[in-house]
């Protein structure tokens, strides 16, 4: 009887312990699966993401790129403007005298599918797409060219719709407004539907950098309601790898995208001359499957499809890595703009 009672107690205790052990094993298994899934998600591009590209989860003051795909880029193309057309095709405006052109690019190969050369005396600049037309600025010639996206035939040439040099150009289809830069801290707000009427000027500054005016605003792109600008303070012997995210209502800098990691992936030819082969060219679209953001540079070997990652980096990072003109006198007042030291 004693032996039978002992066996009974043993069976009862084992039976009570088994569910607890099973639950522990199940919890451990679930935890392992979750860790593996998270690791795979971190290493895999968001191929099926359909939400807006920029959100509170990645729009930190300083964002960093995560490369989704690398494409070939024409290393002879002095990129001044980059934009997706309404037809979904990628278009690029290339600069330099005697070499300027507008071209349709095959993204997967980097090959030129069609092109239209500028006159030898015109230096091609920023590029914007409005409907089935493209608009290209010129650097110091005061001209703006209009093209048909289907044929790239030049339809007309008119006076640049704002004073100063022509650098960047972007169009916001939501508001019907266009934005142009002249290489300073100014963004010219334009209305293309009203004969490109100049409405007002935004003075771009960063309060987290002490209200510093951001000189050298260059190529532009609209990204989810924000105006993004490459920055090239060439008048001050600087060439920034960073992109400013600008509030189109106030001109305030919302944050920065540090693309120096993309420049570091270029050949030694590019890396040796950062003031010549500068980071320039942003194109964005709401593509099927996932929004697409492209970034490249002047005569770079490659173009990148990127996502952004948030960071805890702050103003000190921007001061040390973004190569901006941050003179103590460069505050929200009329800034001095000496002549260009070298070719834009």
């Amino acid at each position: 009887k004693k032996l039978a009672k002992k066996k009974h107690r043993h069976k009862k205790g084992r039976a009570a312990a088994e569910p607890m052990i099973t639950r522990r094993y199940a919890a451990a298994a679930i935890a392992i699966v979750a860790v593996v899934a998270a690791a795979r998600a971190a290493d895999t591009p968001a191929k099926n993401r359909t939400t807006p590209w920029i959100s509170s989860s990645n729009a930190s003051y300083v964002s960093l790129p995560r490369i989704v795909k690398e494409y070939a880029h024409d290393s002879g193309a002095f990129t001044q403007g980059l934009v997706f057309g309404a037809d979904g095709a990628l278009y690029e405006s290339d600069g330099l005298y005697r070499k300027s052109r507008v071209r349709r690019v095959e993204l997967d190969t980097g090959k030129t599918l069609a092109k239209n050369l500028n006159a030898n005396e015109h230096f091609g600049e920023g590029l914007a797409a409005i409907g089935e037309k493209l608009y290209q600025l010129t650097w110091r010639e005061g001209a703006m060219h209009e093209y048909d996206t289907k044929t790239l035939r030049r339809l007309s040439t008119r006076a640049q719709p704002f004073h100063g040099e022509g650098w960047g150009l972007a169009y916001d289809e939501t508001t019907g407004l266009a934005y142009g830069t002249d290489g300073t801290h100014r963004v010219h707000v334009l209305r293309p539907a009203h004969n490109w009427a100049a409405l007002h000027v935004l003075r771009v500054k960063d309060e987290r950098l002490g209200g510093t005016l951001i000189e050298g605003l260059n190529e532009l792109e609209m990204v989810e309601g924000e105006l993004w600008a490459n920055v090239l303070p060439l008048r001050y012997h600087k060439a920034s790898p960073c992109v400013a995210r600008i509030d189109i209502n106030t001109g305030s800098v919302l944050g920065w995208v540090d693309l120096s990691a993309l420049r570091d992936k270029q050949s030694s030819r590019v890396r040796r001359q950062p003031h010549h082969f500068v980071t320039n060219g942003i194109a964005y679209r709401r593509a099927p499957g996932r929004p697409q953001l492209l970034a490249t540079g002047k005569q770079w070997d490659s173009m990148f499809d990127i996502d952004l990652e948030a960071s805890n980096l702050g103003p000190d990072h921007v001061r040390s890595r973004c190569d901006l003109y941050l003179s103590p006198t460069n505050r929200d007042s009329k800034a001095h703009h000496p002549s260009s030291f070298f070719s834009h």
Side-chain angles (χ1 to χ4, degrees), residues 125-142:
E125 283 286 346
L127 189 68
I130 304 178
E132 296 183 350
K133 295 179 180 178
L134 298 172
Y135 295 87
Q136 179 199 32
L137 296 179
T138 54
W139 182 22
R140 291 175 165 172
E141 292 68 56

Side-chain angles (χ1 to χ4, degrees), residues 49 53-54 57-59 63-66 68 228 245 256-259 293 306-310:
R49 179 166 50 77
W53 181 85
I54 190 167
S57 64
N58 60 10
S63 301
L64 303 173
R66 181 165 65 99
V68 175
W228 288 24
R245 296 174 36 233
W256 296 88
V257 182
D258 183 356
L259 298 180
L293 177 69
I306 62 173
D307 276 341
L308 286 197
E309 294 180 342

Side-chain angles (χ1 to χ4, degrees), residues 22 63 68 74 215 228 232 271 300 307 318 332:
T22 302
S63 301
V68 175
D74 184 347
E215 299 292 341
W228 288 24
L232 178 61
R271 297 196 310 272
W300 278 19
D307 276 341
V318 175
D332 192 10

